[in-house]
């Protein structure tokens, strides 16, 4: 039986030989195998692993410190008291919390999370399916073979694609993407920061607060959580959706023709 990188198995006892460095494992329904512990990684509850980056979805506090929703931490091992259900995470300021995996979002390669809508910048075609540049898909989890650099995605014509995170773009609410130029539709005051209606900014990432949809940067407001309805997407040339335009030159193809001066 051949075992591949990423296969899951169960430790069933001590190895018959070199018991200081090897353990006895069974993978799937295969035979028992003696394998070096240096070639194994502990799989924790929720399919987490030591070293995984996670985002907390709740506020946590105890005598050791406090963690807020959206704080980023690192999985450091299994819970000593509930190994089968909980994990230990280390957060900023060296605070440690024992947490249920269901209260954490796994941060995948490239900062992606399960359920993220993504756009491919790579064309792929093989016996398993096809993906074209610009196709939209959904992140399903970490890559089984390259957890650090790749993610598992589902596309309309490719159900399970292991793809480099660098070949994907995150698609936010309303087809907004990181880097898009936006115009503020609200006035907002913050601590020594402000944004006014009409200010121009850019989308810089996913929202960091519950109830918001993405994060924007404006000249006088470095990180503003907003809803899609609170900004307007600025298109190439500075145009906005709904702008009235006049054609400057004639245009013709087999389907339609437009003359200079036509209004659209």
């Amino acid at each position: 039986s051949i075992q591949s990188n990423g296969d899951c198995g169960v430790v069933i006892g001590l190895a018959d030989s070199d018991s200081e460095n090897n353990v006895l494992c069974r993978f799937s329904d295969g035979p028992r195998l003696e394998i070096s512990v240096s070639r194994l990684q502990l799989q924790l509850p929720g399919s987490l692993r030591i070293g995984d980056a996670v985002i907390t979805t709740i506020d946590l506090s105890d005598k050791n410190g406090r963690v807020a929703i959206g704080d980023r931490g690192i999985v450091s091992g299994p819970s000593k008291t509930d190994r089968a259900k909980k994990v230990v995470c280390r957060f900023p300021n060296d605070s440690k919390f024992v947490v249920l995996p269901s209260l954490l979002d796994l941060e995948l390669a490239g900062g992606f999370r399960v359920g993220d809508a993504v756009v491919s910048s790579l064309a792929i075609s093989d016996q398993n399916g096809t993906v074209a540049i610009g196709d939209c898909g959904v992140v399903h989890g970490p890559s089984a073979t390259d957890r650090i650099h790749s993610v598992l995605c589902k596309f309309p014509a490719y159900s399970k694609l292991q793809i480099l995170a660098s070949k994907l773009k995150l698609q936010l609410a309303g087809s907004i993407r990181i880097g898009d130029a936006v115009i503020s539709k609200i006035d907002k005051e913050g601590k020594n920061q402000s944004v006014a209606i009409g200010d121009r900014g850019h989308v810089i990432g996913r929202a960091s607060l519950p109830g918001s949809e993405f994060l924007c940067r404006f000249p006088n407001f470095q990180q503003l959580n907003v809803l899609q309805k609170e900004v307007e997407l600025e298109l190439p040339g500075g145009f906005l959706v709904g702008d009235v335009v006049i054609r400057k030159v004639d245009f013709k193809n087999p389907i339609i023709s437009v003359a200079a001066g036509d209004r659209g």
Side-chain angles (χ1 to χ4, degrees), residues 105-247:
D105 278 340
L106 175 63
E107 188 175 59
L108 306 173
F112 291 111
R113 301 182 197 175
V114 173
D116 278 346
V118 292
V119 179
S120 175
S121 61
L122 186 69
I124 299 171
S125 182
D126 59 29
Q127 68 272 19
N128 297 313
T130 59
V131 175
I133 294 173
D135 278 359
C136 295
V138 177
V139 176
H140 270 213
S143 166
T145 56
D146 185 5
R147 200 176 178 96
I148 296 175
H149 302 104
S150 302
V151 294
L152 179 66
C153 290
K154 180 178 181 179
F155 288 89
Y158 207 127
S159 60
K160 291 183 178 181
L161 175 64
Q162 313 269 353
I163 183 170
L164 288 168
S166 61
K167 300 301 181 182
L168 299 170
K169 291 183 179 180
L170 178 64
Q171 184 163 294
L172 302 167
S175 299
I176 295 287
R177 301 180 191 178
I178 293 173
D180 280 348
V182 291
I183 307 295
S184 176
K185 297 169 69 175
I186 60 170
D187 293 322
K188 185 81 173 182
E189 295 285 338
K191 186 177 181 180
N192 301 318
Q193 300 185 96
S194 65
V195 63
I197 294 172
D199 281 356
R200 186 177 185 272
H202 288 85
V203 178
I204 59 173
R206 68 177 77 248
S208 60
L209 293 177
S212 298
E213 292 177 318
F214 45 88
L215 198 63
C216 291
R217 174 170 291 145
F218 291 91
N220 297 314
F221 211 123
Q222 291 303 298
Q223 293 189 10
L224 178 63
N225 285 279
V226 299
L227 295 169
Q228 182 190 351
K229 65 182 181 181
E230 294 174 329
V231 295
E232 190 162 15
L233 180 63
E234 186 178 43
L235 305 174
F239 291 109
L240 304 177
V241 173
D243 279 349
V244 177
V245 293
I246 306 294
R247 180 78 184 180

Side-chain angles (χ1 to χ4, degrees), residues 42-56 60 62 64 67 72-92 94-104 106:
L42 180 64
Q43 179 155 297
L44 303 171
S47 297
L48 294 173
R49 299 182 187 179
I50 294 172
D52 278 347
V54 291
I55 310 295
T56 178
L60 301 169
D62 63 15
N64 297 315
V67 174
R72 185 177 184 272
I74 301 295
V75 177
S76 58
S79 166
K80 292 181 179 179
T81 57
D82 197 353
R83 189 180 181 92
K85 294 182 179 179
K86 296 181 180 180
V87 296
V88 178
C89 293
R90 184 185 296 277
F91 290 92
D94 286 332
S95 56
K96 286 184 179 180
F97 288 92
V98 176
V99 189
L100 286 167
S102 60
L103 302 178
L104 301 169
L106 175 63

Side-chain angles (χ1 to χ4, degrees), residues 13-24:
L14 289 171
D16 296 327
S17 61
D18 194 7
S19 59
E20 290 186 1
N21 299 299
N22 295 345
V23 291
L24 198 60

